[in-house]
């Protein structure tokens, strides 16, 4: 390796290190702000969401995750981007369900056909009456940090109520 290649290599390594530090800082900040209420009653929250959805014609989105999970924070951040937040608030009632360290609400995931152990965040979509429309089966959102925005937007566009 000649001198110019070593310089380029060292600059690439420096840039990657800075990117890694920035990403770590972003994820640490996100992880410090809880998304999931660790004391919530998931069954009660789902029942309330279905009651609201039945009055408004919106679908219900169940999001299984945990506050320690960076991918869960990434999904939440994508859902709060202005472009997507409007569609979500208009067409969905969202229920965030804490799974702890894979030791809470696993039976709720099973009830809705979501194998939480395949990865979180995990999602199910219900119609306004509570009928299951979609259940994530293979950990599709478990790598939310690496997913492009358009994948999130396409998902919510696909599962919005048909009016």
């Amino acid at each position: 390796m000649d001198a110019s290649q070593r310089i380029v290599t060292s600059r690439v390594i420096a840039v990657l290190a800075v990117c890694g530090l920035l990403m770590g800082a972003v994820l640490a900040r996100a992880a410090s702000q809880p998304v999931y209420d660790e004391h919530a009653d998931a069954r009660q929250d789902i029942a309330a969401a279905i009651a609201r959805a039945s009055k408004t014609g919106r679908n219900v989105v169940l999001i299984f995750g945990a506050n320690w999970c960076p991918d869960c924070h990434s999904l939440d951040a994508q859902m709060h981007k202005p472009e997507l937040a409007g569609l979500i608030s208009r067409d969905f009632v969202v229920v965030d369900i804490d799974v702890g360290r894979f030791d809470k609400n696993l039976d709720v995931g099973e009830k809705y056909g979501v194998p939480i152990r395949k990865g979180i965040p995990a999602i199910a979509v219900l119609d306004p009456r509570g009928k299951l429309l979609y259940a994530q089966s293979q950990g599709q959102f478990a790598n939310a940090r690496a997913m492009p925005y358009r994948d999130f937007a396409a998902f919510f566009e696909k599962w919005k109520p048909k009016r």
Side-chain angles (χ1 to χ4, degrees):
M1 182 181 302
D2 66 19
S4 64
Q5 289 174 319
R6 282 193 300 273
I7 290 171
V8 169
T9 301
S10 66
R11 286 183 179 164
V12 167
I13 290 170
V15 168
L16 290 174
V18 168
C19 289
L21 289 172
L22 290 173
M23 181 58 108
V26 167
L27 292 175
R29 182 180 182 286
S32 69
Q33 299 175 358
V35 172
Y36 300 88
D37 180 350
E38 296 174 1
H39 304 291
D41 181 328
R43 286 164 202 75
Q44 189 174 41
D45 290 349
I46 293 167
I50 292 169
R52 255 190 333 270
S54 69
K55 292 176 185 169
T56 61
R58 295 182 288 168
N59 283 344
V60 177
V61 177
L62 307 179
I63 302 177
F64 297 86
N67 290 321
W68 56 264
C69 168
D71 290 296
C72 300
H73 285 275
S74 293
L75 171 61
D76 186 68
Q78 292 288 353
M79 290 173 62
H80 284 90
K81 285 186 174 178
E83 315 84 59
L84 192 51
L87 177 135
I88 290 172
S89 67
R90 182 187 69 233
D91 292 322
F92 298 94
V93 177
V94 178
V95 181
D96 293 314
I97 301 168
D98 179 47
V99 300
R101 297 272 177 195
F102 296 101
D103 60 354
K104 292 170 58 179
N105 295 313
L106 302 182
D107 58 324
V108 177
E110 286 177 25
K111 175 180 178 177
Y112 291 101
V114 178
I116 295 167
R117 293 200 186 275
K118 292 209 180 216
I120 55 173
I123 298 177
V125 180
L126 313 177
D127 76 6
R129 293 170 307 285
K131 178 184 173 205
L132 182 66
L133 299 174
Y134 168 83
Q136 173 183 315
S137 60
Q138 299 298 317
Q140 289 90 327
F141 286 90
N143 195 19
R145 287 175 287 179
M147 291 173 64
Y149 170 79
R150 71 179 177 276
D151 289 357
F152 298 101
F155 176 84
F156 286 101
E157 189 65 38
K158 177 178 181 176
W159 292 106
K160 70 182 185 181
K162 311 296 184 241
R163 296 183 175 132

